[in-house]
Each structure stands twice: as structure tokens, then as C-alpha cells.
Amino acid sequence: PQTPFNWILRIVDFCIISIFISSFVRRLKREYEKNQAYTEEMAQSHLATIYVLVKIAESRDDETGAHIERVSELAKLLAIKLRESPMYRYQIDDQFIYYLYRASPLHDIGKVGIPDHILLKRGKLTDEEFEVIKKHPIIGAHILFDVYRQYPNNEFLRIGYEIVRFHHERYDGTGYPDGLKGEQIPLPARIMAVVDVYDALRSKRIYKAPYTHDESIDIIRNERGKHFDPHIVDIFLKYHEEFNERFNLFTETTRHSSLPSWMAYRPHESQQVE
């Protein structure tokens, strides 16, 4: 049994606690909304940075813009297919695919530091010229490193840095610039290695004619376990017709589009990336 005074005192206490909690919740909500707005602003800043860097790369070589479009699409498709494999089910989620797709256009930004007489040379490069070309992953990595160092927990910057620096490493350890081997090479770079070579093989260059889809597939198959991660190659070969269709589709699309598709790509949190 309680006296009326004690009941009143308890009611007052509960009201004060309720007011305090409500105020605290409102403050947390404001902070959350502020952080969300900041995160969105950062994401848009990242996209703007990418667009500037990509436009610089495009200005050096007419083929670069179409290559960037296709490689981004092919990397997204390969990541989606890899996610269906038990080996990568817990490594690849919607966020991974989202950042991979957004960061893929950065992979060759280091080529802005390569002289035109080498980058645009018609014909085979000399050994000395190829050594200069091999510096572009380091140049690109340096472009991103200062920003990445300031935001070491930013997944977008991490994936972008890994793609830029390591996409020319080879699974057998004979690649460059660091000679990494096997799974020492980050997964985003192993994915990029396959789609980058496939697109380069299929594309006309000033120094070569394009290969057919079947010829390109044979080359990638022969490099399984040497240049490329064997499991990633197996998934790529399993769905190779879809990659052929996607390549053809975006080869045609990029001829008539002024805005890169990766600039507009934004999956809903409740959606699977398709």
C-alpha cells in the first residue's frame, strides 16, 4: 500500500524520466539525420571526384570512355554471379557490388601520368616503354592514397584503392606492381583483372584489331590459375554468354549516351542488385 503522496511522487518521477528519454531520442534522431545527410554529401563528392578523373582519362584516349562503361557493367555482373557461389556468399553483398560498380571507373586513372607518345603509340611498345606503362597502377594509387589515409574505414575508397593498385597483379605472382600471388590479391582486383582483359580483348585498339567473343574466352580459359583466379574464371566461363550480351549491349549504348550509367546506379537497400 502506498500513500497518495507517494503515488503522486512516482507519477512525477515517471513523467520527468519520460520527458528526458523523449528529449534524448529526439536528439539522437537529429544526429542520425545529420549523419545521413553528411554520408550522402560524401557519396556525391566521391561521385563528382570519379567523374572528373574519368573525364580526364577520356580526354587522353577516345576508347577509354567506352571501356570504362563496359568494364563497370561487366564487373557488376561478375560480382553478382560470384555471390551465388558458396565461396563468396559472405564476402559479396549488395554494398560490395555497389562500391565495386562505382569504383570500377577508377581502375586506369593512373594513365593520366603516362606520356602520350607511349600511351597512344601505334604498334608494339619497347621494353622501356612498357616499363613506363607499368607505373600507372602506382600513379593511380598515389592519387587516391591521401584521401584513403584520411578515411581508412571508407569502403568505397578501400575498394577503389585496391582496384587501382592491384588490377594488374597475376594469380601466379608474375604481375605488377607488387608481385602479389593468389588470394594476397584483393577480391575487387581479381574481379577487375578478368573483366578488364576480356573487354580489352574484345575492343579495337590503335595497335590491334578486336578479338571475337570465342577467341577472348579461349584466352581467358588458358590463363586460368596463371593470370586469373581459377574460381572466378570458372564462374565467368559458366555465364560467358551473358557477358557477351552485356558487352554488345553497352558497346551500342555508350555510343548514344552522354551520361555514364554508373553515375546513376543506386540500389535500394531492400533490393537485390540485379
Side-chain angles (χ1 to χ4, degrees):
Q2 299 288 326
T3 65
F5 176 78
N6 284 341
W7 280 114
I8 293 172
L9 185 61
R10 287 189 175 199
I11 291 172
V12 170
D13 286 342
F14 281 127
C15 288
I16 293 173
I17 292 172
S18 176
I19 292 170
F20 174 79
I21 291 175
S22 297
S23 175
F24 184 70
V25 168
R26 284 194 298 270
R27 181 179 177 183
L28 284 179
K29 184 179 179 182
R30 286 194 299 270
E31 288 296 318
Y32 174 79
E33 291 173 348
K34 181 179 177 181
N35 289 336
Q36 287 293 98
Y38 176 76
T39 300
E40 180 65 21
E41 183 179 348
M42 286 291 293
Q44 293 302 320
S45 174
H46 294 157
L47 286 176
T49 302
I50 288 176
Y51 190 66
V52 170
L53 292 172
V54 169
K55 294 305 289 185
I56 292 173
E58 288 179 6
S59 70
R60 303 288 309 286
D61 179 5
D62 290 339
E63 285 294 326
T64 300
H67 172 69
I68 287 169
E69 276 282 286
R70 292 190 301 262
V71 165
S72 299
E73 288 294 327
L74 295 174
K76 181 179 73 172
L77 177 60
L78 183 53
I80 290 170
K81 298 303 183 184
L82 286 171
R83 182 171 58 179
E84 299 172 4
S85 167
M87 181 177 295
Y88 296 108
R89 185 173 299 156
Y90 300 106
Q91 296 183 58
I92 297 177
D93 55 15
D94 281 356
Q95 187 180 64
F96 178 95
I97 297 171
Y98 175 72
Y99 287 137
L100 177 73
Y101 185 67
R102 285 290 179 86
S104 292
L106 291 170
H107 70 283
D108 275 340
I109 60 170
K111 288 185 177 179
V112 299
I114 305 300
D116 282 346
H117 73 275
I118 296 177
L119 184 65
L120 304 179
K121 181 178 179 180
R122 296 181 180 273
K124 185 177 180 181
L125 297 175
T126 65
D127 291 342
E128 292 78 13
E129 289 169 336
F130 187 59
E131 288 301 315
V132 174
I133 286 286
K134 287 167 64 175
K135 293 178 181 179
H136 80 269
I138 297 296
I139 296 171
H142 284 168
I143 292 173
L144 291 181
F145 182 71
D146 286 341
V147 181
Y148 178 51
R149 184 171 55 184
Q150 293 178 42
Y151 303 97
N153 297 320
N154 186 296
E155 284 294 293
F156 170 85
L157 292 174
R158 179 185 66 80
I159 289 177
Y161 180 84
E162 290 176 351
I163 288 173
V164 169
R165 186 177 180 96
F166 304 119
H167 72 284
H168 282 295
E169 299 290 349
R170 294 171 61 100
Y171 198 76
D172 61 5
T174 62
Y176 62 89
D178 300 305
L180 301 184
K181 185 176 182 179
E183 295 191 4
Q184 291 177 334
I185 306 168
L187 179 59
R190 281 182 277 145
I191 293 172
M192 178 57 62
V194 175
V195 298
D196 188 33
V197 169
Y198 174 75
D199 187 85
L201 290 170
R202 296 290 312 275
S203 302
K204 181 181 179 181
R205 293 288 186 264
I206 57 177
Y207 53 84
K208 76 168 187 69
Y211 288 85
T212 67
H213 172 71
D214 290 338
E215 290 170 338
S216 302
I217 289 298
D218 286 340
I219 291 172
I220 289 175
R221 181 183 292 110
N222 291 334
E223 288 295 320
R224 181 185 183 275
K226 292 181 285 186
H227 190 156
F228 307 119
D229 182 324
H231 185 73
I232 292 178
V233 169
D234 290 343
I235 298 297
F236 181 82
L237 296 177
K238 181 178 179 181
Y239 298 101
H240 71 91
E241 289 296 344
E242 291 188 41
F243 287 93
N244 182 36
E245 293 173 4
R246 191 66 60 93
F247 176 89
N248 292 332
L249 172 64
F250 278 87
T251 297
E252 184 64 27
T253 300
T254 51
R255 291 174 184 165
H256 308 290
S257 176
S258 59
L259 179 66
S261 61
W262 48 266
M263 287 291 291
Y265 175 73
R266 182 184 299 277
H268 297 295
E269 294 181 0
S270 60
Q271 273 185 310
Q272 293 291 324
V273 180
E274 295 297 348

